[in-house]
Amino acid sequence: MSSLKVDFNRPVIVGNELEYMRQAVENAHISGDGLFTKKCHALLENELGVGKALLTTSCTHALEMAAILLNIQRGDEVVIPDFTFVTTINAFVLRGATPVFVDIRPDTLNLDESKLDAAITPRTKAVIPVHYAGVGCEMDTVLAIAREHGLKVVEDNAHGLFGKYKGKLLGTFGSMACQSFHETKNFTSGEGGALLINDPTFVERAEIIREKGTNRSRFFRGQVDKYTWVDIGSSYLPSDLLAAFLYAQLEQRAKIQQQRKQVWEIYYAGLKDWAAAHDVQLPYIPEHCEQSYHMFYMLLPNLELRQKLIMYLREAGIYSVFHYLPLHLSDMGKGYGGKTGDCPVTERVSDQLIRLPFHNGLTSGDQEQVIDAVREFEF
Ligand SMILES: Cc1ncc(COP(=O)(O)O)c(C=O)c1O
């Protein structure tokens, strides 16, 4: 077996990142909302067809903005899949929300829409579907249930930029959607995110909340003659240096997505028969979904084998990871009444899941090394 190291993730320059960062300095505007931030906004709005895109310092911060925009108050309930990153819900808990955890589907690992209705109470304010691995949730059902109960939908689309559900781009279904440009994502600025706004009634207030609760954006557009404190808010806008880096990545979206598609397909083809022979579940992509090629995961038969495989790969110089721990069994989740057995699919999947190395610089040689190592692993 080759002993070359294969990283789980590695940042890669794909185009004009460094040149654009230099230009941002030469433009003498490296704080927020400079030329490159505006270019990113226009690109996201045009490509996705959303009314407004606002870059943020992270997806977490975009989620926090959404919670403020929805006027989440103490005691409001917010429904989320149990199998997700902490900040999908922490952003709402910060505003006083009570989390309501719903189990996931065993095939796509997305929120189980058949369990959504039962989770809704008169106190429910919002549903936050997460398009896990960039594969769309069953949005027809989620939106119909939300409409029936008068709930807002905010998509956590951290994984799903350019993925589609029934031909429609992820991030365009909810009142708002939150993107991540963290270093592990398809497109990155190291840390970064965006709030996509589909419901125009949120746009003006979103600009205020992002600019420390001031009407600074309106001032710069000449719509008011001074800018002042008008609402609660924080500093959610990133430096134009980060936007410059991100814009160069977004410019290369076709190349990046094509290359990631290839990585995903090589893993799938190389592991399909091995997985079937060893009771290992590979990702499932429903026919009506186009995934974003964000990650490649496998579900091992149990926790012991998953841990053994991670260690075995590590010894071969290959860095694989697992995620997420069931939210309802975390210290915080237990504080909200979570107990073992509440979300059995999440509890099982969380023990079984392993993510293989996946980044924009992964070579076919790296992949061969990973696939060979996995296939040689003894059960
Ligand atoms: C589903 C999901 N939501 C939100 C986030 C938070 O993203 P960020 O690191 O940009 O705040 C992550 C992070 O990986 C995530 O996986």
Side-chain angles (χ1 to χ4, degrees):
M1 196 184 291
S2 158
S3 59
L4 283 177
K5 185 164 159 280
V6 183
D7 293 318
F8 172 70
N9 183 62
R10 182 150 31 93
V12 177
I13 300 289
V14 290
N16 287 333
E17 288 88 338
L18 302 180
E19 167 59 20
Y20 289 170
M21 289 178 88
R22 196 177 58 78
Q23 282 181 26
V25 177
E26 283 172 5
N27 291 342
H29 186 137
I30 58 169
S31 57
D33 280 340
L35 178 73
F36 287 102
T37 305
K38 292 190 173 107
K39 280 176 176 283
C40 288
H41 289 172
L43 186 148
L44 290 169
E45 286 163 10
N46 292 335
E47 286 295 307
L48 302 173
V50 296
K52 189 80 188 168
L54 291 171
L55 289 194
T56 56
T57 25
S58 63
C59 181
T60 301
H61 279 168
L63 287 156
E64 285 182 20
M65 285 181 64
I68 297 172
L69 285 163
L70 294 186
N71 279 322
I72 295 294
Q73 309 286 326
R74 184 152 303 281
D76 289 343
E77 291 178 1
V78 172
V79 180
I80 44 145
D82 194 41
F83 189 65
T84 184
F85 192 62
V86 171
T87 56
T88 308
I89 191 58
N90 224 0
F92 294 85
V93 169
L94 260 180
R95 313 301 316 158
T98 302
V100 176
F101 309 108
V102 171
D103 209 357
I104 51 169
R105 294 170 58 111
D107 52 6
T108 57
L109 316 189
N110 278 330
L111 182 137
D112 185 341
E113 68 285 356
S114 71
K115 301 207 165 81
L116 181 56
D117 206 43
I120 292 167
T121 75
R123 288 184 302 279
T124 312
K125 262 288 194 61
V127 185
I128 322 296
V130 177
H131 304 300
Y132 181 70
V135 177
C137 294
E138 283 308 317
M139 291 311 290
D140 283 350
T141 310
V142 171
L143 291 175
I145 294 172
R147 209 175 301 119
E148 189 187 324
H149 295 277
L151 310 177
K152 293 291 183 202
V153 173
V154 177
E155 298 168 73
D156 180 336
N157 196 28
H159 302 175
L161 189 57
F162 303 131
K164 289 182 181 172
Y165 168 80
K166 297 193 175 171
K168 189 168 148 61
L169 284 154
L170 303 181
T172 64
F173 291 91
S175 306
M176 290 172 260
C178 302
Q179 301 297 147
S180 175
F181 299 117
H182 180 258
E183 120 181 303
T184 50
K185 303 303 185 291
N186 298 24
F187 310 93
T188 184
S189 50
E191 302 280 354
L195 181 68
L196 309 179
I197 306 176
N198 296 307
D199 178 343
T201 59
F202 290 117
V203 171
E204 187 175 337
R205 192 162 176 239
E207 289 181 338
I208 290 168
I209 290 165
R210 180 169 166 271
E211 271 282 19
K212 298 102 179 156
T214 72
N215 56 356
R216 192 176 154 127
S217 299
R218 298 197 70 200
F219 172 72
F220 281 129
R221 286 198 294 264
Q223 292 166 326
V224 286
D225 59 7
K226 54 185 173 304
Y227 90 83
T228 182
W229 181 25
V230 292
D231 202 337
I232 61 167
S234 191
S235 188
Y236 291 122
L237 72 173
S239 158
D240 214 50
L241 283 170
L242 293 178
F245 194 97
L246 179 65
Y247 185 66
Q249 296 245 317
L250 290 172
E251 268 188 334
Q252 299 297 326
R253 60 196 174 282
K255 182 173 146 198
I256 290 176
Q257 289 304 84
Q258 178 53 36
Q259 195 237 340
R260 296 185 75 100
K261 178 174 189 280
Q262 198 176 321
V263 167
W264 196 94
E265 284 171 352
I266 288 174
Y267 273 142
Y268 195 82
L271 293 169
K272 200 171 160 210
D273 62 330
W274 169 85
H278 292 88
D279 195 21
V280 170
Q281 182 180 325
L282 295 188
Y284 167 69
I285 320 295
E287 271 194 8
H288 54 271
C289 291
E290 288 170 46
Q291 63 159 320
S292 63
Y293 301 101
H294 173 52
M295 69 167 89
F296 194 88
Y297 69 82
M298 310 191 292
L299 300 184
L300 272 286
N302 56 50
L303 174 64
E304 196 194 336
L305 281 169
R306 195 272 304 272
Q307 294 303 88
K308 263 177 73 180
L309 179 57
I310 290 177
M311 289 315 296
Y312 171 84
L313 292 174
R314 182 69 52 96
E315 275 161 29
I318 295 164
Y319 290 78
S320 60
V321 300
F322 69 89
H323 74 170
Y324 305 110
L325 297 172
L327 285 178
H328 73 288
L329 296 179
S330 63
D331 287 351
M332 283 292 282
K334 283 185 191 153
Y336 290 104
K339 42 189 191 327
T340 303
D342 286 353
C343 294
V345 182
T346 301
E347 289 169 29
R348 174 174 63 77
V349 162
S350 170
D351 282 351
Q352 297 175 308
L353 190 136
I354 177 172
R355 291 174 63 184
L356 297 181
F358 203 139
H359 56 79
N360 295 339
L362 203 70
T363 64
S364 51
D366 293 335
Q367 282 201 274
E368 208 178 297
Q369 196 177 323
V370 177
I371 291 168
D372 286 351
V374 170
R375 295 182 69 96
E376 283 164 20
F377 173 65
E378 278 179 22
F379 272 63

